[in-house]
């Protein structure tokens, strides 16, 4: 569960840098031995959340009503919607797959919580 929190935190920290002009590249030298671009760091955390959400959904039938899980689903769904808007491809199958995965997980949480 801490992996979820970690990747949500990374996404939150680097989100303001993505909202800057598309021509501006912000490099981060302190995190790794190599130079990383903030967009790459953000995308890596999004990819990890995709992987974790898919693994969780495949391996666990019952919903987890953890605040960290709810937050992770929200961040992932938001990232997928933002990616479709940024790319201009509103029918990107990968983005819609993960968005619908998040919605299905929320539906599962609602169903198993008795709501």
């Amino acid at each position: 569960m801490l992996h979820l929190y970690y990747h949500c935190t990374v996404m939150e920290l680097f989100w303001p840098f993505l909202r800057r002009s598309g021509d501006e590249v912000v490099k981060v030298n302190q995190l790794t031995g190599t130079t990383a671009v903030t967009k790459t760091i953000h995308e890596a955390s999004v990819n990890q959340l995709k992987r974790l959400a898919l693994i969780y959904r495949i391996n666990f039938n019952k919903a987890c009503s953890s605040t960290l899980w709810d937050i992770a689903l929200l961040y992932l769904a938001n990232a997928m919607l933002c990616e479709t808007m940024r790319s201009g491809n509103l029918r990107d199958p990968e983005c819609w797959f993960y968005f619908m995965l998040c919605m299905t997980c929320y539906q599962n949480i609602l169903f198993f919580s008795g709501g």
Side-chain angles (χ1 to χ4, degrees), residues 4-5 7-13 15 42 46 49 68-82 102 106:
L4 297 171
Y5 186 65
H7 290 295
C8 289
T9 302
V10 169
M11 290 172 67
E12 184 69 28
L13 288 173
W15 179 253
H42 186 271
V46 170
L49 277 182
L68 293 178
W69 179 240
D70 292 344
I71 291 171
L73 289 174
L74 182 64
Y75 271 78
L76 182 56
N78 185 47
M80 294 300 95
L81 290 175
C82 290
C102 293
Y106 275 129

Side-chain angles (χ1 to χ4, degrees), residues 20-96:
R20 292 183 174 185
S21 99
D23 299 334
E24 186 177 352
V25 175
V26 180
K27 294 183 179 180
V28 181
N29 296 327
Q30 290 78 17
L31 295 178
T32 62
T34 61
T35 301
V37 179
T38 55
K39 182 178 179 185
T40 307
I41 295 169
H42 186 271
E43 286 175 357
S45 282
V46 170
N47 288 334
Q48 287 299 317
L49 277 182
K50 286 179 187 178
R51 185 182 68 81
L52 291 169
L54 196 55
I55 288 171
Y56 180 83
R57 185 70 176 125
I58 289 170
N59 291 327
F60 301 105
N61 291 331
K62 297 218 175 179
C64 172
S65 60
S66 165
T67 304
L68 293 178
W69 179 240
D70 292 344
I71 291 171
L73 289 174
L74 182 64
Y75 271 78
L76 182 56
N78 185 47
M80 294 300 95
L81 290 175
C82 290
E83 180 58 33
T84 59
M85 297 305 288
R86 227 184 339 265
S87 70
N89 182 8
L90 299 179
R91 297 192 184 272
D92 181 7
E94 182 181 358
C95 289
W96 283 109

